[in-house]
Amino acid sequence: MFDLQSLIIGVILIVKKYTCINIKIHSESNDDDYKNGIILLPLVGLAIGFVASFISSFKIFYDGFFVSAFVLSYYCIITKTVNLRDTYRTLNYIIKPKNQTEQISGTIGIIVICLFYFSLMRIVDVTAVLLMPVAGYSGLIILSRVFHRNKKGTSVIKYCDKYHSLSAFGISFALAVVINYKLVIPLALTYMISGAAVNIMDKKIKLLPNSIEGFIVEITQLIFLIVTYIFKIT
C-alpha cells in the first residue's frame, strides 16, 4: 500500500544524506522510509542540476572559466562533497596504500576529477549540466543490480530492488526527453559504459565498501559529460 508519509520522510532522509540541506524530522523513521525515498533520488539530482544549469547559463555574459569554477563550487557545497569524499576513499581502497599516510591515489584522483568537471562544465550545453546529477544518482540505483558482492555495508545499494532500478531508468530517460531529447543517446551510452566498468570492478573487489556509492555517482556523471561533449550535443 502506498504510504505518502513514508515517502516524504524517505525523501527528507535522502536530501539530508546527499545535500547540505538539513530538514528536521519530527517523527520516527525506519529502513522502509529510506527505501521509499531512494525512488525519488533522481529528482533530488534534478533539483541540484537545475541550479547548476542556471549558473552555467551565465556563460553568455561572463568568462567560461569563471562560470565553470562557480558551478563546481556550488556542486561541492550543495552536496557537502559527500560523493567526492567517497571517491577519495574508494580509490585508496582499490589502490591500497602501504600505510594510511600514503593515500596519494585518492588525492590524485580527486584532482583529476575536479579538473574534468572544471573543463567539461565550461564547454558542454547547460542541459547536460542539468541532467548530469540525474544521470549520476540514477546510475547508482541502476548499477546496484550489477554488483554481486555482499551489499550490507552500503547505505543505498543494499536497499535497491528491481522496481528501484526500473523507476530510475524510466525517470532519467523521461527527463532526458523533456530537457533535451538529444541527450537520450549519451545517457544510454553512459549506463552501458559504467555498467561494464562496474562489472569489472565487481570481479576485482572482494568486499563492497560504503564509499563505492559516491564513486559510482561521480564516475557516472563524468562519463555522461564526456560522452555528451564527444557527441557535441547543443
Side-chain angles (χ1 to χ4, degrees):
M1 183 177 179
F2 179 73
D3 190 342
L4 181 59
Q5 181 180 357
S6 178
L7 181 63
I8 293 174
I9 293 175
V11 172
I12 292 174
L13 292 173
I14 289 295
V15 168
K16 290 178 68 174
K17 175 177 173 60
Y18 284 105
T19 74
C20 62
I21 301 173
N22 188 11
I23 304 174
K24 291 184 179 180
I25 302 176
H26 298 287
S27 60
E28 294 185 4
S29 59
N30 52 50
D31 290 346
D32 288 335
D33 297 331
Y34 192 75
K35 189 174 182 179
N36 290 332
I38 292 173
I39 296 177
L40 297 183
L41 185 54
L43 296 184
V44 175
L46 178 65
I48 295 173
F50 178 79
V51 178
S53 65
F54 175 75
I55 299 172
S56 184
S57 66
F58 282 90
K59 289 185 290 186
I60 61 177
F61 301 112
Y62 301 101
D63 180 74
F65 285 104
F66 170 76
V67 175
S68 61
F70 195 14
V71 175
L72 180 58
S73 298
Y74 155 75
Y75 174 73
C76 290
I77 292 171
I78 194 65
T79 61
K80 300 182 297 185
T81 65
V82 169
N83 297 323
L84 285 174
R85 283 185 279 124
D86 277 355
T87 302
Y88 173 81
R89 297 189 187 101
T90 303
L91 289 173
N92 287 326
Y93 177 82
I94 296 173
I95 309 172
K96 297 184 184 297
K98 294 179 180 179
N99 56 65
Q100 294 300 317
T101 61
E102 295 181 0
Q103 299 181 336
I104 190 68
S105 56
T107 303
I108 294 175
I110 293 301
I111 292 173
V112 171
I113 287 173
C114 288
L115 288 175
F116 264 111
Y117 274 136
F118 180 74
S119 301
L120 291 167
M121 287 178 177
R122 181 177 65 88
I123 56 181
V124 298
D125 188 69
V126 293
T127 56
V129 178
L130 170 58
L131 197 62
M132 178 193 76
V134 178
Y137 292 119
S138 297
L140 171 62
I141 299 172
I142 294 169
L143 297 176
S144 65
R145 308 298 297 169
V146 179
F147 284 108
H148 300 291
R149 301 294 180 184
N150 190 327
K151 305 174 185 178
K152 291 183 179 180
T154 59
S155 59
V156 172
I157 292 178
K158 69 178 179 181
Y159 291 115
C160 291
D161 209 336
K162 186 177 181 179
Y163 70 90
H164 285 96
S165 299
L166 291 175
S167 176
F169 190 85
I171 291 174
S172 60
F173 276 97
L175 290 174
V177 171
V178 173
I179 295 169
N180 185 348
Y181 71 93
K182 295 179 181 179
L183 292 173
V184 170
I185 295 177
L187 189 62
L189 289 174
T190 297
Y191 292 153
M192 291 171 63
I193 295 171
S194 55
V198 165
N199 186 49
I200 295 173
M201 187 186 303
D202 184 49
K203 294 178 180 178
K204 293 188 176 182
I205 297 180
K206 294 181 179 180
L207 181 65
L208 206 60
N210 179 271
S211 61
I212 196 71
E213 296 176 338
F215 179 75
I216 292 173
V217 172
E218 295 294 350
I219 296 304
T220 303
Q221 290 178 168
L222 278 182
I223 293 174
F224 176 72
L225 291 179
I226 293 171
V227 174
T228 302
Y229 170 69
I230 292 174
F231 277 80
K232 300 188 182 298
I233 294 176
T234 58

